[in-house]
Amino acid sequence: MRLLLVEDDPMIGESVLDLLRSEHYAVDWVKDGYIAETALRTQDYDLVVLDLGLPRKDGMAVLHALRARQTRL
C-alpha cells in the first residue's frame, strides 16, 4: 500500500513516517500543499494523511482540488 503523508511539522512527520514504515507501508512525505498537489497528480496513492494547516496552500484547499478532479483514493 502506497501512502502520501502531508505534514509540515518535522517532529510529527518523522514520528508518523517511522510508524507507518515500521508497518511496511511505502510512504512519501511532503511538507506543503503545493508539493502535495504535485505528488497527487504524478503518483497513485491508496491513502493520504493530510494536515490541514500547511504552508503555501492549506490542506482544505488541497482536498478541494483533489475532489474537484474526482480522484478516488
Side-chain angles (χ1 to χ4, degrees):
M1 180 176 270
R2 187 171 188 90
L3 285 68
L4 178 63
L5 171 61
V6 187
E7 173 59 60
D8 62 317
D9 184 290
M11 191 168 76
I12 295 171
E14 289 173 14
S15 297
V16 174
L17 182 69
D18 290 344
L19 177 67
L20 292 171
R21 286 187 174 163
S22 74
E23 294 296 323
H24 308 288
Y25 291 106
V27 183
D28 293 334
W29 177 23
V30 299
K31 299 174 183 160
D32 75 55
Y34 283 117
I35 297 172
E37 284 190 331
T38 300
L40 289 164
R41 279 193 304 270
T42 59
Q43 297 288 325
D44 290 326
Y45 292 99
D46 300 298
L47 178 76
V48 177
V49 179
L50 180 62
D51 180 14
L52 298 181
L54 296 168
R56 296 180 42 179
K57 187 167 192 175
D58 70 46
M60 289 303 293
V62 173
L63 181 59
H64 288 143
L66 184 62
R67 286 181 174 171
R69 290 187 1 236
Q70 299 180 354
T71 301
R72 295 188 56 102
L73 298 176

